[in-house]
Amino acid sequence: MAYSKEDIIRIVREQQIEFIRMQFTDIFGQMKNVAITASQVEKAVNNQIMFDGSSIEGFTRIHESDQCLYPDLNSFIILPDNVSGGRTARMFCDVYNTDGTPFVGDPRGVLRRVLRRAESMGFDDFNIGPELEFFLFETDEDGHATTRTKDEAGYFDLGPLDHGEATRREISHTLEQMGYEIEASHHECAVAQHEIDFKYTTALDGADKIMTFRLMTKSLARKNGLHATFMPKPIYDIAGNGMHLNMSLFKNGKNVFCDPNGERGLSQTAYSFIAGLLDHVQGFTAITNPLVNSYKRLGAGHEAPRYRAWSASNRSALIRIPAARGQATRVELRSPDPSCNPYLAVAVCLAAGLDGIARGLTPPPEITGDIYSMDDATRESHGIYCLPDTLKDALEEMEKDALILDVLGAHVARHYIEGKTKEWDEYQTRVSSWELEKYLVVY
């Protein structure tokens, strides 16, 4: 819905809103907010709310700390009472410098820049349909997260086996109150694992919705005595959490990936977009799969897509083309996980696809066989290669990809690589429970 400044001021007063959350994210995708009282609403809609950027990961240094929040008025929404603890509204914000220029380290700004690039190439809209998976675990007597569950359900099961059904239903209903169109909600294949799918939307709105989805899911789970986690691989040897990303491009209101006369009903634009994704996936995996733990999900097994290939239907491929055609034609990238910064992840995927279109790239032949069952020699003969094995490998690939570095900008790229390199180094030097179990008694 389109709102003016006057609309928001009026609604805040008429609805007796007490607080407004001015929300934004750091470069690693953590939600931040400055909460203001309703008396400050006029300052808020006139871009006069400031905060200390030096306290935010990857933002500014202490001697240049002041930054401003410019709310996206169309993101204004009154939060449901079951998650807000009072009459509370929220707006997503872009981060600006005090001189009125956009802050180069704002992830929302990174996505906006790539969307402008798409516009310059003649495209009106880039739509995304994310599929987020998460686990619902029990908490201990102190309310701390565990990986315990009494859940006994599997794929598409329902109560009484599905112990998280009531919480999943409440999450779905709450999101619908916030304007989401929930298309599906079900138990996933692992115990305690769930998925809620919402209707595709434009890229910026979709990234905002991912951020809200994660926050609402965690808040409602905690209210019900559970812990929701989007960690990619919380338990060894069962399926991990993915965030399959469905993407489509539009020009003059028409889906340009569709061509009824094209092979498989796809246009050359769609094929070039696929080729661009495959060409840059090594370079953007550190963004779409940002944790040390992400690469344990991308290991062999449990349908995690670790091989660089595409198919019209094969779920072992990195990129799949769902069966729907016409306006619903889309490309599904299966590697991202829900721990990513959605603004950066969507930005690098769009930029990679646009690069494929600009260069007129053609993807390699479709792979129809089960890639997991192939041996290394067979995969090599088909030109199928693995995604990076670790976060360290992914960061090294990212540093080699000039397009991805350009999309992020020097500020974001530098801080992101520094932060993730530190995370890898901490992991490498920390003594794990596996090491203690394996070596403490024997040696």
Side-chain angles (χ1 to χ4, degrees):
M1 182 178 293
Y3 288 109
S4 67
K5 296 178 183 180
E6 293 72 24
D7 289 333
I8 291 173
I9 293 169
R10 174 180 51 79
I11 293 170
V12 165
R13 290 172 178 163
E14 289 179 353
Q15 297 296 320
Q16 297 182 313
I17 301 300
E18 298 172 352
F19 293 97
I20 303 167
R21 294 181 181 176
M22 308 284 283
Q23 296 179 338
F24 60 103
T25 68
D26 68 17
I27 64 171
F28 300 120
Q30 295 300 304
M31 178 86 84
K32 306 293 180 181
N33 98 154
V34 173
I36 61 171
T37 60
S39 65
Q40 303 299 299
V41 63
E42 291 189 35
K43 287 177 62 177
V45 298
N46 286 295
N47 309 326
Q48 295 172 352
I49 301 298
M50 299 180 68
F51 71 102
D52 177 8
S54 68
S55 300
I56 306 299
E57 190 78 49
F59 271 35
T60 59
R61 296 167 294 186
I62 195 163
H63 63 275
E64 53 186 15
S65 59
D66 287 341
Q67 294 184 296
C68 303
L69 294 175
Y70 283 35
D72 182 338
L73 302 184
N74 295 333
S75 71
F76 176 84
I77 193 167
I78 299 172
L79 298 176
D81 290 342
N82 61 333
V83 293
S84 64
R87 298 294 290 164
T88 303
R90 78 97 211 272
M91 288 186 283
F92 278 103
C93 301
D94 296 300
V95 181
Y96 274 67
N97 301 311
T98 52
D99 64 1
T101 57
F103 172 50
V104 294
D106 177 21
R108 219 166 179 264
V110 171
L111 178 53
R112 283 190 185 277
R113 291 197 296 271
V114 184
L115 290 170
R116 286 196 292 270
R117 185 179 303 179
E119 280 184 30
S120 72
M121 294 174 65
F123 301 111
D124 319 308
D125 278 316
F126 179 58
N127 284 352
I128 63 169
E131 302 170 12
L132 286 86
E133 296 169 341
F134 58 95
F135 283 87
L136 290 174
F137 292 128
E138 296 175 15
T139 54
D140 64 19
E141 57 276 8
D142 297 317
H144 298 145
T146 74
T147 54
R148 297 195 308 261
T149 178
K150 294 186 180 70
D151 187 76
E152 303 168 281
Y155 209 28
F156 296 123
D157 279 344
L158 63 163
L161 294 176
D162 179 2
H163 289 240
E165 185 177 37
T167 296
R168 192 176 68 237
R169 186 185 300 121
E170 184 178 3
I171 294 167
S172 297
H173 286 162
T174 301
L175 292 172
E176 285 188 326
Q177 291 177 50
M178 298 179 69
Y180 287 65
E181 183 175 334
I182 302 300
E183 294 190 325
S185 164
H186 60 86
H187 196 286
E188 262 293 335
C189 56
V191 292
Q193 189 182 33
H194 304 265
E195 180 177 320
I196 298 173
D197 300 332
F198 53 89
K199 186 179 180 181
Y200 69 87
T201 182
T202 54
L204 195 63
D205 182 56
D208 288 343
K209 277 186 162 66
I210 291 170
M211 294 300 302
T212 300
F213 182 101
R214 295 195 309 209
L215 180 62
M216 293 299 104
T217 299
K218 283 184 168 291
S219 298
L220 290 168
R222 184 173 64 245
K223 184 176 74 71
N224 292 340
L226 297 171
H227 175 72
T229 181
F230 294 92
M231 180 179 176
K233 189 79 166 179
I235 300 179
Y236 168 70
D237 205 29
I238 67 172
N241 286 325
M243 188 187 77
H244 300 168
L245 193 60
N246 294 272
M247 299 172 277
S248 52
L249 265 176
F250 287 76
K251 180 182 288 188
N252 299 323
K254 181 181 178 182
N255 187 331
V256 298
F257 285 173
C258 179
D259 181 354
N261 300 315
E263 188 177 3
R264 304 178 191 83
L266 299 177
S267 67
Q268 184 54 51
T269 300
Y271 284 115
S272 292
F273 192 93
I274 293 167
L277 289 172
L278 293 173
D279 195 47
H280 291 286
V281 66
Q282 303 288 98
F284 66 61
T285 294
I287 298 294
T288 55
N289 305 84
L291 306 184
V292 168
N293 183 255
S294 297
Y295 298 84
K296 297 185 177 181
R297 167 185 168 253
L298 292 178
H302 302 291
E303 292 191 2
R306 65 190 304 248
Y307 297 109
R308 196 171 60 172
W310 76 279
S311 173
S313 59
N314 184 356
R315 291 178 184 270
S316 67
L318 178 74
I319 294 173
R320 188 177 76 93
I321 312 301
R325 290 295 180 266
Q327 290 291 82
T329 305
R330 59 196 186 273
V331 172
E332 179 188 41
L333 181 67
R334 297 170 60 79
S335 57
D337 69 55
S339 68
C340 69
N341 182 323
Y343 303 102
L344 300 184
V346 173
V348 295
C349 289
L350 174 56
L354 292 176
D355 186 56
I357 294 170
R359 293 160 59 198
L361 298 182
T362 300
E366 175 187 5
I367 302 298
T368 57
D370 182 2
I371 301 172
Y372 300 125
S373 65
M374 297 178 184
D375 57 30
D376 291 342
T378 303
R379 282 192 287 265
E380 188 173 345
S381 70
H382 286 288
I384 302 171
Y385 302 100
C386 272
L387 296 181
D389 287 326
T390 67
L391 178 59
K392 180 178 185 292
D393 296 335
L395 291 169
E396 290 174 353
E397 292 293 337
M398 178 175 156
E399 290 184 281
K400 297 176 189 174
D401 194 316
L403 176 78
I404 301 305
L405 296 178
D406 177 66
V407 167
L408 298 175
H411 181 100
V412 171
R414 176 168 57 85
H415 284 281
Y416 192 90
I417 291 169
E418 285 177 357
K420 290 299 172 180
T421 299
K422 181 181 177 183
E423 187 174 326
W424 173 258
D425 290 342
E426 289 177 3
Y427 169 70
Q428 282 288 84
T429 56
R430 186 72 59 88
V431 177
S432 68
S433 59
W434 180 89
E435 291 170 279
L436 293 174
E437 293 171 11
K438 188 81 171 177
Y439 304 132
L440 188 62
V441 174
V442 176
Y443 293 98

